């Protein structure tokens, strides 16, 4: 494999790993935010967009 092909392959590999890491991080963070939202809703805190819910300041 030529040095240029090795460089390009390494660059694509590093980019793919970085993107996979970011996607994983986003999915884990989404799960955590959904869990926090469920806990808040269970505690009685409602969303501002929820017209029928009580308003907590």
């Amino acid at each position: 494999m030529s040095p240029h092909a090795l460089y390009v392959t390494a660059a694509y590999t590093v980019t793919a790993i970085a993107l996979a890491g970011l996607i994983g991080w986003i999915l884990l963070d989404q799960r955590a935010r959904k869990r926090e939202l469920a806990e808040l809703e269970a505690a009685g805190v409602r969303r501002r967009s929820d017209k029928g819910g009580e308003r907590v300041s």
Side-chain angles (χ1 to χ4, degrees), residues 46-55:
R46 298 287 175 231
R47 299 180 195 194
R48 281 183 264 173
S49 62
D50 185 12
K51 302 294 184 195
E54 65 183 45
R55 195 159 211 190

Side-chain angles (χ1 to χ4, degrees), residues 29-43 45:
D29 190 55
Q30 177 190 23
R31 189 181 307 169
R33 299 295 79 79
K34 283 184 177 182
R35 190 176 331 114
E36 287 177 0
L37 183 59
E39 290 172 4
L40 287 171
E41 287 179 346
V45 178

Side-chain angles (χ1 to χ4, degrees), residues 4 9 14 21-22 27 41 45 52 54-56:
H4 178 69
T9 303
V14 169
L22 287 172
L27 293 174
E41 287 179 346
V45 178
E54 65 183 45
R55 195 159 211 190
V56 178

Side-chain angles (χ1 to χ4, degrees), residues 7-27:
Y7 172 79
V8 171
T9 303
Y12 275 106
T13 302
V14 169
T15 301
I17 291 170
L19 285 175
L22 287 172
I23 290 169
W25 182 15
I26 288 169
L27 293 174

